[in-house]
Amino acid sequence: MATYIIRRLLLVPILLFGVTLIIFGMLQFLGPVERSALYVRDFPKNDKQIQGIIRKYGLDRPVYEQYWRWLVGVKDPGSGNREGGVLYGDFGYSRTASQPVIDIIKNRFPNTLDLALWAVFPMLAVGIWLGVQAAVHQNGWIDQAARVFSIIGTSFPTFVFGLLVLIIFYANWQWFPPGKMSDWVSQLIFSGQFTQYTKLLTIDALLNGRLDVFLDAMRHMFLPILTLSYINWATFVRVTRSSMLETLRMDYVTTARAKGLKEKDVINKHARPNAMISITTLAGFSVVGLLGGVVITETVFNYPGIGQAAANAASNLDVVTVLGFAVFNGLILIVANLIVDVLYGFIDPRVRLS
Amino acid sequence: MTAASAPTGDNTLLREALPERKIGRVERFLGPENYRIVTGLLKTPASIIGFVLIGFFILVAVFAPVIAPPVGNDPYKIPRDGFSGEPKPMGSEWKRNKPEIPFWYKAVTGKEEWVHILGTAQGQYDIFYGMVWGTRTAFRTGFIVVISTFLIGIIVGSISAYYGGIVDNIIMRIVDIFMTLPFILMALIMAAVLTPVIGKSLIPSIIALISFGWMGYARIIRGDILSVKERDFVLAARVVGVRPSRILFRHVLPNAIFPTLVLASLAIGDVVLSFAALSFLGIGTQVGYADWGQILSFSRNWITSLQNYWYIVVWPGLILVLFVMGWNLVGDAMRDVLDPRMRGKS
């Protein structure tokens, strides 16, 4: 197990290097004026200022040197403060949102986390349940239904599905509004009578004992959760079904049946736990994908997470900001992939031995 | 030693037990394995529905000038009937920039003059016109992206598989890195970076989708080449002294490429979907270009009153879903046929 973990840890710097290199490569499409947003808040006003910034932050130096400066930042000779440096969490300034990129992330990441937290349960539970049922009743009606369901699911673009549920549940019936909270909730938070322990609205509501706030948050999150689940169910059903079918063909399942075990026990105690192993990876990656901010879903439902911020910045062509989100996302993904892989090693002994 | 004589006598029994299968010209041309893939695709009802849908969209794209005659010089610019912001309902009168009346129009609608059959989007862009010409945009972007990603994947995958060792290791780690990155976010960034350089057109999104879409093919072709490389005819070619590059291009690649080729051609649906997503997020063509994603993106400003303006979502959404579904239905059948566990069953 130790060698397996060490091997995976050795991969982290390689991934980190590759991911930052690709993002840094994209920065090279920009001129020095746009790139100066990495270090200074305002647009440089005249040529002299531009020259000064280029010289101060080395924007005319060789590319490898700029890459290093971009990673760890520049020491200001006067004050001795570090400026820039994405590895320290300084992603530059968002000139379209007029605040540092890291502040946008700090404000919005809790919202994304809140949404991800509640989307995971229906996504996993229903997807896996349906996949297992489809495999157990192979070619039966539930299998065919699951198949149709998953084809429709993979063909429905997220934003079309999102807009359709908005027409039905919001525009027509006014049940589930877009956004994050009603006006009275934001007033309550603003008034200071609502303590923000974790910044996750649903958790805070429960900690404050305010069930009405919790229900309001849920009402706003219902449609995004529905959309995210629906889009992901298709993949889960397909993978669970094929993994389950494969497991049901194994000799130990035949043995269990030959011993005279009840079919229910064969499936629930022998087949399903083994089929779950290959689904763990998929589940891990889906959760990680949710954490990275779901760009389209958050945009459709006007949910203030980091995905929506990234989409806004991109449509305003504020590239430095979007690249900041990309670095943040890349760091999350690398760490989370490591965790998923290590967990996988614990669950499945075959992985760590091979 | 006496030469063994050929078995003589009546062997009709044997012939009945092992009936000789007729091998048609198509099967001889494609080879048994590829022939199995093609026939497998034509058998299931789902994939037939898929082919019908794809055929329908090909017809719409080919006959676009007949279905919706272009107005002005650039047929991809949706004609505007005025500049008012509010969408107009289906069947409302078309006042300015009318197309000519095509032959089918009176027979189908029973009207003498053009109306906005499916309504107009914000800015008085005719939705029907945009949907018809958007089909051409969809095929164009789909083909360009699929062919490019396929070629890149083939080149990278073959180099990786053929040289093996450290080259293979480095290339596959690069593929891993690209796969770690979140696809839609990276494509969004790439398009946003390129738009100021190239200008607002299809090209930034196309390049963005190509840059982050080639990895899958590289992996698949690498695997297929590795297994073909072990076959006897490759060994035979090597023994005879054929040059390695010739072995790769003349012997290994033609035998390994077919599954990847089919998968790639079916990926058009996914590509069009991602492209529409980028347009929806506001990155892509200039305003008024016939592009499904853009027509849908107009609806973002009308979220609170969609009960009145549902047609600006439903029609372009429906056509996008049907397009993607056509390719997915065929693709799903394809996955079943290509599944190694299905090999040997016809």
Side-chain angles (χ1 to χ4, degrees), chain A residues 11 14-15 18-19 22 26 29 147 151 154-157 159-160 163 166-167 170-172 238 246 249 295-296 299-300 310-311 314-315 317 319 322-323 326 329 333 337, chain B residues 173 177-178 180-182 185-186 188-190 192-194 212 276-277 280-281 283 296 299-300 303-304 306-307 310 313-314 317 320-321 324-325 328-329 332 335-336 341:
Chain A
L11 211 59
I14 298 175
L15 282 176
V19 167
I22 290 171
M26 289 179 131
F29 284 98
R147 190 164 197 153
I151 288 263
T154 43
S155 307
F156 244 108
F159 53 99
V160 175
L163 289 169
L166 270 176
I167 293 183
Y170 173 59
N172 256 345
R238 179 179 290 155
E246 205 173 330
R249 269 187 226 127
V295 179
I296 296 168
T299 307
V300 172
S315 61
L317 301 181
V319 176
V322 196
L323 285 171
N329 220 322
L333 285 173
N337 283 356
Chain B
R173 287 300 81 71
I177 289 165
F178 268 85
T180 310
L181 296 162
L185 185 67
M186 293 315 283
L188 191 67
I189 295 168
M190 191 73 182
V193 167
L194 290 175
F212 295 97
F280 177 78
L281 292 173
I283 289 278
L296 280 162
S299 60
R300 277 170 65 185
I303 296 286
T304 47
L306 277 181
Q307 73 273 34
W310 56 272
V313 173
V314 170
L320 182 57
V321 169
V324 179
M325 195 184 289
N328 277 352
L329 282 169
D332 205 47
R335 246 189 309 271
D336 281 355
R341 280 162 296 184

Coordinates of all heavy atoms in Angstrom, one line a residue, chain A residues 11 14-15 18-19 22 26 29 147 151 154-157 159-160 163 166-167 170-172 238 246 249 295-296 299-300 310-311 314-315 317 319 322-323 326 329 333 337, chain B residues 173 177-178 180-182 185-186 188-190 192-194 212 276-277 280-281 283 296 299-300 303-304 306-307 310 313-314 317 320-321 324-325 328-329 332 335-336 341:
Chain A
L11 N 3.4 11.3 -8.9 CA 2.7 11.8 -10.1 C 2.2 13.2 -10.0 O 2.0 14.0 -10.9 CB 1.5 10.9 -10.5 CG 1.2 10.7 -11.9 CD1 2.3 10.2 -12.7 CD2 0.0 9.7 -12.0
I14 N 4.2 16.1 -11.5 CA 4.2 16.0 -12.9 C 2.9 16.6 -13.4 O 2.9 17.5 -14.3 CB 4.3 14.5 -13.4 CG1 5.6 14.0 -13.0 CG2 4.1 14.5 -14.9 CD1 5.8 12.5 -13.3
L15 N 1.8 16.2 -12.8 CA 0.5 16.8 -13.2 C 0.4 18.3 -13.0 O 0.0 19.0 -13.8 CB -0.7 16.1 -12.4 CG -1.1 14.7 -12.8 CD1 -2.1 14.2 -11.9 CD2 -1.7 14.7 -14.2
G18 N 2.4 20.0 -15.7 CA 1.7 19.9 -17.0 C 0.5 20.9 -17.0 O 0.4 21.7 -17.9
V19 N -0.3 20.9 -15.9 CA -1.5 21.7 -15.9 C -1.2 23.2 -15.9 O -1.7 24.0 -16.7 CB -2.4 21.3 -14.7 CG1 -3.5 22.4 -14.5 CG2 -3.0 20.0 -14.9
I22 N 0.1 24.3 -19.4 CA -0.9 24.5 -20.4 C -1.6 25.8 -20.2 O -1.8 26.6 -21.1 CB -1.9 23.4 -20.3 CG1 -1.3 22.1 -20.9 CG2 -3.2 23.7 -21.2 CD1 -2.2 20.9 -20.7
M26 N -1.6 29.4 -22.5 CA -2.7 30.1 -23.0 C -2.5 31.6 -22.7 O -3.0 32.5 -23.4 CB -4.0 29.6 -22.4 CG -4.3 28.2 -22.9 SD -5.7 27.7 -22.2 CE -6.8 27.2 -22.5
F29 N -1.0 34.2 -25.3 CA -1.8 34.8 -26.4 C -2.0 36.2 -26.1 O -2.4 37.0 -27.0 CB -3.1 34.1 -26.6 CG -3.0 32.7 -27.3 CD1 -3.0 31.6 -26.6 CD2 -2.9 32.7 -28.7 CE1 -2.8 30.3 -27.2 CE2 -2.8 31.5 -29.3 CZ -2.8 30.3 -28.6
R147 N -32.5 2.2 -20.5 CA -31.7 2.5 -21.7 C -32.2 3.8 -22.4 O -31.4 4.7 -22.8 CB -31.8 1.3 -22.6 CG -30.9 1.4 -23.7 CD -30.7 0.1 -24.4 NE -29.5 0.2 -25.2 CZ -28.7 -0.8 -25.6 NH1 -29.0 -2.0 -25.2 NH2 -27.7 -0.6 -26.3
I151 N -30.2 7.3 -22.9 CA -30.0 7.9 -24.2 C -30.5 9.3 -24.2 O -29.8 10.3 -24.7 CB -30.7 7.1 -25.3 CG1 -30.0 5.8 -25.6 CG2 -30.8 7.9 -26.6 CD1 -29.1 5.8 -26.7
T154 N -28.2 11.6 -22.2 CA -26.9 12.0 -22.8 C -27.2 12.9 -24.0 O -26.3 13.7 -24.4 CB -26.1 10.8 -23.3 OG1 -27.0 9.9 -24.0 CG2 -25.4 10.1 -22.2
S155 N -28.4 12.9 -24.6 CA -28.6 13.8 -25.7 C -29.1 15.1 -25.3 O -29.1 16.0 -26.1 CB -29.7 13.1 -26.7 OG -29.3 11.8 -27.0
F156 N -29.6 15.3 -24.1 CA -30.1 16.6 -23.7 C -29.0 17.5 -23.2 O -28.3 17.2 -22.2 CB -31.1 16.4 -22.5 CG -32.5 16.8 -22.8 CD1 -33.4 15.8 -23.0 CD2 -32.8 18.1 -23.0 CE1 -34.7 16.1 -23.3 CE2 -34.1 18.4 -23.3 CZ -35.1 17.5 -23.4
P157 N -28.7 18.6 -24.0 CA -27.7 19.5 -23.5 C -28.2 20.1 -22.2 O -29.4 20.3 -22.0 CB -27.7 20.6 -24.6 CG -28.4 20.0 -25.7 CD -29.3 19.0 -25.3
F159 N -28.0 22.9 -20.8 CA -28.7 24.2 -20.8 C -30.1 24.1 -21.4 O -31.0 24.8 -20.9 CB -27.9 25.3 -21.5 CG -27.5 25.0 -22.9 CD1 -28.2 25.5 -24.0 CD2 -26.4 24.2 -23.1 CE1 -27.9 25.2 -25.3 CE2 -26.0 23.9 -24.4 CZ -26.7 24.4 -25.5
V160 N -30.4 23.2 -22.3 CA -31.7 23.0 -22.9 C -32.6 22.4 -21.8 O -33.7 22.9 -21.5 CB -31.7 22.1 -24.1 CG1 -33.1 21.8 -24.6 CG2 -30.9 22.8 -25.2
L163 N -33.3 25.1 -19.2 CA -34.3 26.1 -19.6 C -35.7 25.5 -19.6 O -36.6 26.1 -19.2 CB -33.9 26.6 -21.0 CG -32.7 27.5 -21.1 CD1 -32.3 27.7 -22.5 CD2 -33.0 28.8 -20.4
L166 N -37.0 25.3 -16.2 CA -37.3 26.7 -15.8 C -38.7 27.1 -16.3 O -39.5 27.8 -15.6 CB -36.3 27.7 -16.2 CG -35.1 27.9 -15.3 CD1 -34.1 28.8 -15.9 CD2 -35.6 28.5 -14.0
I167 N -39.0 26.8 -17.6 CA -40.3 27.1 -18.2 C -41.4 26.5 -17.4 O -42.4 27.1 -17.0 CB -40.4 26.6 -19.6 CG1 -39.4 27.4 -20.5 CG2 -41.8 26.8 -20.2 CD1 -39.5 27.0 -22.0
Y170 N -40.8 27.2 -13.0 CA -40.6 28.6 -12.6 C -41.6 29.5 -13.3 O -42.5 30.2 -12.7 CB -39.2 29.1 -12.7 CG -39.0 30.6 -12.4 CD1 -39.4 31.1 -11.2 CD2 -38.6 31.4 -13.4 CE1 -39.3 32.4 -10.9 CE2 -38.4 32.8 -13.1 CZ -38.8 33.3 -11.8 OH -38.7 34.6 -11.6
A171 N -41.4 29.6 -14.7 CA -42.2 30.5 -15.4 C -43.7 30.2 -15.3 O -44.6 31.1 -15.1 CB -41.8 30.6 -16.9
N172 N -44.1 28.9 -15.4 CA -45.5 28.5 -15.4 C -46.0 28.5 -14.0 O -47.1 29.1 -13.7 CB -45.6 27.1 -16.0 CG -46.2 27.2 -17.4 OD1 -46.7 28.2 -17.8 ND2 -46.1 26.1 -18.1
R238 N -25.4 3.6 -17.1 CA -24.7 2.8 -18.1 C -23.5 2.1 -17.5 O -23.4 0.8 -17.7 CB -24.2 3.7 -19.2 CG -23.4 3.0 -20.3 CD -23.0 3.9 -21.4 NE -24.1 4.4 -22.2 CZ -24.1 5.5 -22.9 NH1 -23.1 6.3 -22.8 NH2 -25.1 5.8 -23.6
E246 N -21.1 -7.7 -15.7 CA -19.8 -8.4 -15.7 C -19.7 -9.2 -14.5 O -19.3 -10.4 -14.5 CB -18.7 -7.4 -15.8 CG -17.4 -7.9 -16.4 CD -16.5 -6.8 -16.7 OE1 -16.9 -5.6 -16.9 OE2 -15.3 -7.0 -16.6
R249 N -21.5 -12.5 -14.1 CA -21.0 -13.6 -14.8 C -19.9 -14.3 -14.1 O -19.4 -15.3 -14.6 CB -20.6 -13.2 -16.2 CG -21.7 -13.3 -17.2 CD -21.2 -13.0 -18.6 NE -22.1 -12.1 -19.2 CZ -21.8 -11.0 -19.8 NH1 -20.6 -10.6 -19.8 NH2 -22.7 -10.2 -20.3
V295 N -20.2 25.0 -14.8 CA -20.3 26.3 -15.5 C -21.7 26.5 -16.1 O -22.3 27.5 -15.8 CB -19.3 26.3 -16.7 CG1 -19.4 27.6 -17.4 CG2 -17.9 26.1 -16.1
I296 N -22.2 25.5 -16.8 CA -23.4 25.7 -17.5 C -24.6 25.7 -16.6 O -25.5 26.6 -16.7 CB -23.6 24.6 -18.6 CG1 -22.5 24.8 -19.6 CG2 -24.9 24.8 -19.3 CD1 -22.4 23.7 -20.6
T299 N -24.8 28.9 -14.7 CA -25.2 30.0 -15.5 C -26.7 30.0 -15.8 O -27.4 31.1 -15.7 CB -24.4 30.0 -16.8 OG1 -23.0 29.9 -16.5 CG2 -24.6 31.2 -17.6
V300 N -27.2 28.9 -16.2 CA -28.7 28.8 -16.5 C -29.5 29.3 -15.3 O -30.5 30.0 -15.5 CB -29.1 27.4 -16.9 CG1 -30.6 27.3 -17.1 CG2 -28.4 27.0 -18.2
A310 N -16.9 32.1 -13.7 CA -16.0 31.8 -14.8 C -16.7 32.1 -16.2 O -16.1 32.7 -17.1 CB -15.6 30.4 -14.8
A311 N -17.9 31.7 -16.3 CA -18.6 32.0 -17.6 C -18.8 33.5 -17.8 O -18.6 34.0 -18.9 CB -20.0 31.3 -17.5
A314 N -15.5 34.9 -18.9 CA -15.2 34.5 -20.2 C -15.9 35.2 -21.3 O -15.4 35.7 -22.3 CB -15.4 33.0 -20.4
S315 N -17.2 35.5 -21.0 CA -18.0 36.2 -22.1 C -17.6 37.6 -22.1 O -17.9 38.3 -23.1 CB -19.5 36.0 -21.9 OG -19.9 36.5 -20.6
L317 N -14.5 38.4 -22.0 CA -13.2 38.2 -22.5 C -12.1 38.7 -21.5 O -11.1 39.2 -21.8 CB -13.0 38.9 -23.8 CG -13.9 38.5 -25.0 CD1 -13.6 39.3 -26.2 CD2 -13.8 37.0 -25.2
V319 N -9.6 37.4 -19.7 CA -8.9 36.1 -19.7 C -8.2 35.8 -18.4 O -8.2 34.7 -18.0 CB -8.0 36.0 -20.9 CG1 -7.2 34.8 -21.0 CG2 -8.9 36.1 -22.2
V322 N -10.4 34.2 -15.9 CA -10.8 32.8 -16.2 C -9.6 31.9 -16.0 O -9.8 30.8 -15.5 CB -11.3 32.7 -17.7 CG1 -12.1 31.4 -17.8 CG2 -12.2 33.8 -18.0
L323 N -8.4 32.3 -16.4 CA -7.3 31.5 -16.2 C -7.0 31.3 -14.7 O -6.6 30.2 -14.3 CB -6.1 32.1 -16.9 CG -6.1 31.9 -18.4 CD1 -5.0 32.7 -19.0 CD2 -6.0 30.4 -18.8
A326 N -9.1 28.6 -13.7 CA -8.6 27.3 -14.3 C -7.5 26.8 -13.4 O -7.5 25.6 -13.1 CB -8.1 27.5 -15.7
N329 N -9.2 25.4 -10.3 CA -9.8 24.2 -10.6 C -8.8 23.0 -10.8 O -9.0 21.9 -10.3 CB -10.5 24.4 -12.0 CG -11.8 23.8 -12.0 OD1 -12.0 22.7 -11.5 ND2 -12.8 24.4 -12.6
L333 N -8.6 19.6 -8.8 CA -8.7 18.3 -9.5 C -7.5 17.4 -9.1 O -7.7 16.2 -8.9 CB -8.8 18.5 -11.0 CG -10.1 19.1 -11.5 CD1 -10.0 19.4 -12.9 CD2 -11.2 18.0 -11.3
N337 N -8.2 14.0 -7.3 CA -7.8 12.7 -8.1 C -6.9 11.8 -7.2 O -7.1 10.6 -7.2 CB -7.1 13.0 -9.4 CG -8.1 13.5 -10.4 OD1 -9.3 13.5 -10.2 ND2 -7.6 13.9 -11.6
Chain B
R173 N 1.5 10.4 -20.4 CA 1.4 11.3 -19.3 C 0.8 12.6 -19.7 O 0.0 13.2 -19.1 CB 2.7 11.5 -18.6 CG 3.3 10.4 -17.8 CD 2.4 9.9 -16.6 NE 1.3 9.0 -17.0 CZ 1.5 7.8 -17.4 NH1 2.7 7.2 -17.5 NH2 0.4 7.0 -17.7
I177 N -2.6 14.5 -18.4 CA -2.7 15.9 -18.0 C -3.8 16.6 -18.7 O -4.6 17.3 -18.0 CB -1.3 16.6 -18.3 CG1 -0.3 16.1 -17.3 CG2 -1.5 18.1 -18.1 CD1 1.1 16.5 -17.7
F178 N -3.9 16.4 -20.0 CA -5.0 17.0 -20.7 C -6.4 16.5 -20.2 O -7.4 17.2 -20.2 CB -4.9 16.8 -22.2 CG -4.2 17.8 -22.9 CD1 -2.8 17.8 -23.0 CD2 -4.8 18.9 -23.5 CE1 -2.1 18.8 -23.7 CE2 -4.1 19.9 -24.2 CZ -2.8 19.9 -24.3
T180 N -7.0 15.5 -17.2 CA -7.3 16.0 -15.9 C -8.1 17.4 -15.9 O -8.9 17.6 -15.1 CB -6.0 16.3 -15.1 OG1 -5.1 15.2 -15.2 CG2 -6.2 16.6 -13.7
L181 N -7.8 18.2 -17.0 CA -8.4 19.5 -17.1 C -9.9 19.4 -17.4 O -10.3 18.5 -18.2 CB -7.7 20.3 -18.2 CG -6.2 20.6 -17.9 CD1 -5.5 21.0 -19.2 CD2 -6.1 21.7 -16.9
P182 N -10.7 20.2 -16.8 CA -12.1 20.2 -17.0 C -12.4 20.7 -18.4 O -12.0 21.8 -18.8 CB -12.7 21.1 -16.0 CG -11.6 22.0 -15.6 CD -10.4 21.2 -15.8
L185 N -14.6 24.0 -19.3 CA -14.0 25.3 -18.8 C -12.8 25.6 -19.6 O -12.5 26.8 -20.0 CB -13.6 25.1 -17.3 CG -13.0 26.3 -16.6 CD1 -14.0 27.4 -16.5 CD2 -12.4 25.9 -15.3
M186 N -11.9 24.6 -20.0 CA -10.8 24.8 -20.8 C -11.1 25.3 -22.2 O -10.5 26.2 -22.7 CB -9.9 23.6 -20.8 CG -9.3 23.2 -19.5 SD -8.5 24.5 -18.6 CE -7.0 24.8 -19.4
L188 N -13.8 26.9 -23.0 CA -14.3 28.2 -22.8 C -13.1 29.2 -22.7 O -13.1 30.3 -23.4 CB -15.1 28.3 -21.5 CG -15.9 29.5 -21.1 CD1 -17.1 29.6 -22.1 CD2 -16.4 29.4 -19.7
I189 N -12.1 28.9 -22.0 CA -10.9 29.8 -21.8 C -10.2 29.9 -23.2 O -9.9 31.0 -23.6 CB -9.9 29.2 -20.8 CG1 -10.6 29.2 -19.4 CG2 -8.7 30.0 -20.8 CD1 -9.8 28.5 -18.4
M190 N -10.0 28.8 -23.8 CA -9.3 28.8 -25.1 C -10.0 29.7 -26.1 O -9.4 30.5 -26.8 CB -9.2 27.4 -25.6 CG -8.3 27.2 -26.8 SD -6.6 27.3 -26.3 CE -5.7 27.1 -27.8
A192 N -12.1 32.1 -25.4 CA -12.0 33.5 -24.9 C -10.7 34.1 -25.2 O -10.5 35.3 -25.5 CB -12.3 33.6 -23.4
V193 N -9.6 33.3 -25.1 CA -8.2 33.8 -25.4 C -8.1 34.1 -26.9 O -7.5 35.1 -27.3 CB -7.2 32.7 -25.0 CG1 -5.8 33.1 -25.5 CG2 -7.1 32.6 -23.5
L194 N -8.7 33.2 -27.7 CA -8.5 33.4 -29.2 C -9.4 34.4 -29.8 O -9.1 35.0 -30.8 CB -8.7 32.1 -29.9 CG -7.7 31.0 -29.6 CD1 -8.1 29.7 -30.2 CD2 -6.3 31.5 -30.2
F212 N -8.8 20.4 -26.9 CA -9.1 19.6 -25.8 C -10.0 18.4 -26.1 O -10.6 17.8 -25.2 CB -9.7 20.5 -24.6 CG -8.8 21.5 -24.2 CD1 -8.8 22.8 -24.6 CD2 -7.8 21.2 -23.3 CE1 -7.9 23.8 -24.2 CE2 -6.9 22.1 -22.8 CZ -7.0 23.4 -23.3
A276 N -22.5 24.2 -29.1 CA -23.7 25.0 -28.7 C -23.6 25.5 -27.3 O -24.0 26.6 -27.0 CB -25.0 24.1 -28.8
A277 N -23.0 24.7 -26.4 CA -22.8 25.1 -25.0 C -21.9 26.4 -25.0 O -22.2 27.3 -24.3 CB -22.2 24.0 -24.2
F280 N -23.9 29.2 -26.2 CA -24.9 29.6 -25.2 C -24.2 30.5 -24.1 O -24.9 31.4 -23.6 CB -25.5 28.3 -24.5 CG -26.5 28.6 -23.4 CD1 -27.7 29.0 -23.7 CD2 -26.1 28.5 -22.1 CE1 -28.6 29.3 -22.7 CE2 -27.0 28.7 -21.1 CZ -28.3 29.1 -21.4
L281 N -23.0 30.2 -23.7 CA -22.3 30.9 -22.7 C -21.8 32.3 -23.2 O -21.2 33.1 -22.5 CB -21.1 30.1 -22.1 CG -21.5 28.9 -21.3 CD1 -20.3 28.1 -21.0 CD2 -22.3 29.3 -20.1
I283 N -19.8 32.8 -26.0 CA -18.5 32.8 -26.7 C -18.8 32.2 -28.0 O -19.4 31.1 -28.1 CB -17.5 31.9 -25.9 CG1 -17.0 32.6 -24.6 CG2 -16.3 31.6 -26.8 CD1 -16.0 33.6 -24.8
L296 N -30.5 29.9 -28.7 CA -30.9 29.5 -27.4 C -30.3 30.6 -26.4 O -31.0 30.8 -25.3 CB -30.3 28.2 -27.0 CG -31.2 27.0 -27.6 CD1 -30.4 25.7 -27.6 CD2 -32.4 26.8 -26.7
S299 N -32.4 33.4 -25.0 CA -33.5 33.2 -24.0 C -33.0 33.5 -22.6 O -33.8 33.7 -21.7 CB -34.0 31.8 -24.1 OG -32.9 30.9 -23.8
R300 N -31.7 33.7 -22.4 CA -31.2 34.0 -21.1 C -31.7 35.3 -20.6 O -31.8 35.5 -19.3 CB -29.7 34.0 -21.1 CG -29.0 32.6 -21.0 CD -27.6 32.7 -21.3 NE -26.9 33.5 -20.2 CZ -25.6 33.7 -20.3 NH1 -24.9 33.3 -21.3 NH2 -25.0 34.4 -19.3
I303 N -35.7 34.8 -18.9 CA -36.0 33.7 -17.9 C -37.3 34.0 -17.1 O -38.1 33.1 -16.9 CB -34.8 33.6 -16.9 CG1 -33.5 33.2 -17.7 CG2 -35.1 32.6 -15.9 CD1 -33.5 31.8 -18.2
T304 N -37.5 35.2 -16.7 CA -38.7 35.5 -15.8 C -40.0 35.4 -16.6 O -41.1 35.3 -16.0 CB -38.6 36.8 -15.1 OG1 -38.2 37.8 -16.1 CG2 -37.5 36.8 -14.1
L306 N -40.6 33.3 -19.4 CA -40.6 32.2 -20.4 C -41.9 31.5 -20.6 O -42.1 30.9 -21.7 CB -39.6 31.1 -19.9 CG -38.1 31.4 -20.3 CD1 -37.2 30.3 -19.8 CD2 -37.9 31.6 -21.7
Q307 N -42.9 31.7 -19.7 CA -44.2 31.1 -20.0 C -44.8 31.7 -21.3 O -45.6 31.1 -22.0 CB -45.2 31.2 -18.8 CG -45.7 32.6 -18.5 CD -44.8 33.4 -17.6 OE1 -43.5 33.3 -17.7 NE2 -45.3 34.2 -16.7
W310 N -42.0 30.7 -24.6 CA -41.5 29.3 -24.5 C -40.9 28.9 -25.9 O -39.9 28.1 -26.0 CB -42.5 28.3 -24.1 CG -43.8 28.4 -25.0 CD1 -44.8 29.2 -24.8 CD2 -44.0 27.7 -26.2 NE1 -45.7 29.0 -25.8 CE2 -45.2 28.1 -26.7 CE3 -43.3 26.7 -26.9 CZ2 -45.8 27.5 -27.8 CZ3 -43.8 26.1 -28.0 CH2 -45.1 26.6 -28.5
V313 N -37.2 28.8 -26.6 CA -36.3 27.7 -26.1 C -36.7 26.4 -26.7 O -35.8 25.7 -27.1 CB -36.6 27.6 -24.6 CG1 -35.9 26.4 -24.0 CG2 -36.1 28.8 -23.8
V314 N -38.0 26.2 -26.9 CA -38.4 24.8 -27.2 C -38.0 24.4 -28.6 O -37.4 23.3 -28.8 CB -40.0 24.7 -27.1 CG1 -40.5 23.4 -27.7 CG2 -40.3 24.8 -25.6
G317 N -34.2 24.2 -29.0 CA -33.7 23.1 -28.1 C -34.1 21.7 -28.7 O -33.3 20.8 -28.7
L320 N -31.8 20.7 -31.5 CA -30.5 20.3 -31.0 C -30.5 18.9 -30.4 O -29.6 18.1 -30.6 CB -30.0 21.4 -30.0 CG -28.6 21.2 -29.4 CD1 -27.6 21.1 -30.4 CD2 -28.3 22.4 -28.4
V321 N -31.6 18.7 -29.6 CA -31.7 17.4 -28.9 C -31.8 16.3 -29.9 O -31.1 15.2 -29.8 CB -32.9 17.4 -27.9 CG1 -33.2 16.0 -27.4 CG2 -32.6 18.3 -26.8
V324 N -28.4 15.6 -31.7 CA -27.5 14.8 -30.8 C -27.9 13.4 -30.6 O -27.2 12.5 -30.6 CB -27.3 15.6 -29.5 CG1 -26.3 14.8 -28.6 CG2 -26.8 17.0 -29.7
M325 N -29.3 13.3 -30.4 CA -29.8 11.9 -30.2 C -29.6 11.0 -31.3 O -29.3 9.8 -31.2 CB -31.3 12.1 -29.8 CG -31.9 10.8 -29.2 SD -33.6 11.0 -29.0 CE -33.7 12.1 -27.6
N328 N -26.2 9.8 -31.0 CA -26.0 8.9 -29.8 C -26.7 7.6 -30.0 O -26.1 6.6 -29.4 CB -26.6 9.6 -28.6 CG -25.7 10.6 -28.0 OD1 -24.5 10.7 -28.4 ND2 -26.2 11.4 -27.1
L329 N -27.8 7.5 -30.7 CA -28.5 6.2 -30.8 C -27.6 5.3 -31.6 O -27.4 4.1 -31.3 CB -29.8 6.4 -31.6 CG -31.0 6.9 -30.7 CD1 -32.1 7.3 -31.6 CD2 -31.4 5.9 -29.7
D332 N -24.5 4.3 -29.5 CA -24.8 3.3 -28.4 C -24.8 1.9 -29.0 O -24.2 1.0 -28.4 CB -26.2 3.7 -27.9 CG -26.4 3.1 -26.5 OD1 -25.4 3.4 -25.7 OD2 -27.4 2.5 -26.2
R335 N -21.2 0.9 -29.5 CA -20.5 0.5 -28.3 C -20.8 -1.0 -28.0 O -19.9 -1.7 -27.7 CB -20.9 1.4 -27.1 CG -19.8 2.2 -26.6 CD -20.2 2.8 -25.3 NE -21.4 3.5 -25.4 CZ -21.5 4.8 -25.8 NH1 -20.5 5.5 -26.1 NH2 -22.7 5.4 -25.9
D336 N -22.0 -1.4 -28.3 CA -22.4 -2.8 -28.0 C -21.6 -3.7 -29.0 O -21.1 -4.7 -28.6 CB -23.9 -3.0 -28.2 CG -24.7 -2.5 -27.0 OD1 -24.0 -2.2 -26.0 OD2 -25.9 -2.6 -27.1
R341 N -16.6 -8.3 -25.3 CA -17.4 -9.4 -24.8 C -18.4 -9.9 -25.8 O -19.0 -11.0 -25.7 CB -18.1 -9.1 -23.4 CG -17.1 -9.2 -22.3 CD -17.7 -8.4 -21.1 NE -17.8 -7.0 -21.4 CZ -18.2 -6.1 -20.6 NH1 -18.6 -6.5 -19.4 NH2 -18.3 -4.9 -20.9

